[in-house]
Amino acid sequence: MSQVNEHHAPSTPGKLKPEKSSYIHHRLRIHSSLSKLTLWSSFFLAFILFLFILSPPSPSTSPRRALGDSWGGSHWEKRVAKSARRSSSSSLTVLVTGAAGFVGTHVSLALKRRGDGVLGLDNFNRYYDPNLKRARQRLLDRAGVFIVDGDINDAVLLRKLFDVVPFTHVMHLAAQAGVRYAMQNPGSYVHSNIAGFVNLLEACKNANPQPSVVWASSSSVYGLNSKVPFSEKDRTDQPASLYAATKKAGEEIAHSYNHIYGLSITGLRFFTVYGPWGRPDMAYFFFTKDILKGKQITIFESPDGGTVARDFTYIDDIVKGCLGALDTAKKSTGSGGKKKGPAQLRIFNLGNTSPVPVSELVAILEKLLKVKAKKKALPMPTNGDVKFTHANISLAYRDLGYRPTTDLETGLRKFVKWYLEFYSKKSSW
């Protein structure tokens, strides 16, 4: 929250009368400062626009389709309505964006199992193997969850979904993930994590009734913060990557829509989520793949030669936190884009509170796979990664009843079991 400097204010209004020359000089200084601020703001916006327009084609964006080719029509609307049908009036009706993603799949399944209405939305981008996403889609389809093949930047599609289904909640998990990929395609992060988020919030604030929104921020927002464990009260103004910067921007955007339009919004800062059906770009996943193939794996060390550690959090624990956030989210206070009163705004860490060195992660994988890894230690590159993460979860414990229970070896055992079963069926892997 910004603070007002009152050092030169009179103790009694109207008693301070500056000399005319001082007043003019003061006005000129203000005008100069505002001009500089406007100039730098313009440069920043132009830079973001430059990244968005000139970046190479983004794998996060599906090819543009004609309206009738991807969605629409009575049959499509029936599938949407059936998937979103809840078992009772006390259950939730949830739109899950990024439903074919790692966390999205698990959250959608958990919601459906307990009787909530669930509709998925995903663009099946090519950031990592789309075949894995399609396999998750088939898993959800068997559970009765329909995933609409579309993009959160498609405003017409979003309006249609809200016309067909009166969602009580939105679980927003769609995003361009990954820290290092931002150096190759920065525009994809602006497109998905900023423009896409704004587009979704626009649809939510115009809906009647407005849904409550729960969305995935990231532990990356803590950036260069050296105070541990990371608390929601800590500073988050030193992002170490563009990915982190877009997630931090998302938190500020959420604040704006909450303040202006009365949207109830809860942000969740995930800490290194792992488990079955996970993301191939995550270290535990590609370490497993390379160890089994006899390939050398790289273990990064911090610049001072210290160990890189992560607060690895098992997917089932993350799902419990997501459901806790949905269940405790208060109703939005706006209607049709107009605010009628203050609305709930929250942010929570969802981690395991037990950072583990990456070298220990590798040792556990070697034990479970019964294969010795070929390891190579290198200094951590300056590509946005940070030395460690460690979550303080006391706030989530108090407000959401969040209690992670899965240690790393137990969670990795479940992942390895899934991995061996899933990829044994795919000779191409």
Side-chain angles (χ1 to χ4, degrees), residues 248-290:
K248 173 60 179 176
E251 293 186 358
E252 302 305 319
I253 290 167
H255 181 278
S256 298
Y257 274 79
N258 166 268
H259 174 69
I260 299 171
Y261 301 110
L263 280 175
S264 169
I265 305 179
T266 301
L268 303 175
R269 293 172 177 170
F270 295 158
F271 282 72
T272 317
V273 190
Y274 73 100
W277 297 99
R279 278 179 22 214
D281 65 320
M282 299 293 285
Y284 73 92
F285 201 114
F286 62 74
F287 279 172
T288 298
K289 173 186 173 184
D290 290 343

Side-chain angles (χ1 to χ4, degrees), residues 17-246:
K17 296 182 179 180
E19 301 233 353
K20 187 173 183 180
S21 60
S22 300
Y23 174 73
I24 294 173
H25 179 66
H26 181 62
R27 287 292 299 273
L28 288 173
R29 288 178 59 191
I30 291 176
H31 183 268
S32 176
S33 299
L34 288 174
S35 298
K36 290 179 180 178
L37 180 60
T38 302
L39 179 62
W40 282 111
S41 299
S42 300
F43 282 153
F44 176 75
L45 291 173
F47 176 67
I48 292 294
L49 185 61
F50 174 80
L51 290 177
F52 179 64
I53 294 175
L54 296 185
S55 291
S58 169
S60 64
T61 308
S62 297
R64 190 88 179 155
R65 300 182 179 90
L67 179 64
D69 292 340
S70 58
W71 57 268
S74 59
H75 177 68
W76 177 86
E77 288 189 16
K78 288 178 181 178
R79 290 194 70 185
V80 166
K82 181 179 178 181
S83 181
R85 190 175 300 134
R86 52 187 178 176
S87 62
S88 69
S89 58
S90 61
S91 299
L92 311 181
T93 305
V94 188
L95 172 64
V96 180
T97 70
F102 174 31
V103 179
T105 295
H106 284 274
V107 169
S108 297
L109 287 171
L111 289 169
K112 198 66 175 179
R113 286 192 199 106
R114 69 179 200 175
D116 294 318
V118 183
L119 180 68
L121 175 63
D122 205 292
N123 68 356
F124 297 92
N125 65 54
R126 299 180 300 278
Y127 170 63
Y128 61 81
D129 185 10
N131 292 321
L132 176 57
K133 299 177 184 181
R134 293 298 179 182
R136 296 181 186 135
Q137 181 186 29
R138 291 190 291 271
L139 179 69
L140 288 174
D141 189 59
R142 290 193 294 271
V145 177
F146 175 49
I147 300 181
V148 175
D149 191 340
D151 197 289
I152 55 174
N153 279 287
D154 189 340
V156 178
L157 171 59
L158 289 180
R159 283 197 298 270
K160 182 65 176 178
L161 293 178
F162 278 91
D163 285 343
V164 176
V165 180
F167 296 106
T168 62
H169 295 72
V170 169
M171 184 78 222
H172 177 48
L173 298 168
Q176 176 58 60
V179 169
R180 300 171 191 174
Y181 181 66
M183 299 183 72
Q184 301 176 40
N185 193 354
S188 64
Y189 291 79
V190 177
H191 179 79
S192 296
N193 302 356
I194 297 179
F197 190 30
V198 169
N199 200 51
L200 178 67
L201 291 177
E202 279 291 304
C204 291
K205 64 100 166 173
N206 288 324
N208 191 6
Q210 289 179 340
S212 302
V213 179
V214 178
W215 73 286
S217 182
S218 170
S219 61
S220 296
V221 299
Y222 290 108
L224 302 179
N225 178 37
S226 59
K227 173 184 168 294
V228 291
F230 299 158
S231 166
E232 293 88 347
K233 296 179 180 179
D234 292 343
R235 63 185 299 181
T236 54
D237 59 350
Q238 295 178 302
S241 67
L242 179 61
Y243 169 71
T246 60

Side-chain angles (χ1 to χ4, degrees), residues 346-411:
R346 305 180 296 175
I347 193 80
F348 295 104
N349 289 336
L350 294 186
N352 196 49
T353 74
S354 301
V356 176
V358 174
S359 56
E360 186 175 331
L361 165 75
V362 174
I364 294 173
L365 286 175
E366 289 177 319
K367 174 184 174 182
L368 295 173
L369 296 170
K370 298 181 174 59
V371 179
K372 189 70 176 176
K374 298 176 182 178
K375 294 168 280 191
K376 180 180 181 180
L378 288 177
M380 188 169 64
T382 56
N383 57 8
D385 276 327
V386 294
K387 179 180 176 181
F388 55 83
T389 59
H390 183 184
N392 178 336
I393 60 168
S394 57
L395 190 61
Y397 179 90
R398 185 193 73 189
D399 293 356
L400 308 181
Y402 176 69
R403 296 171 178 80
T405 58
T406 310
D407 64 85
L408 184 59
E409 183 166 349
T410 299

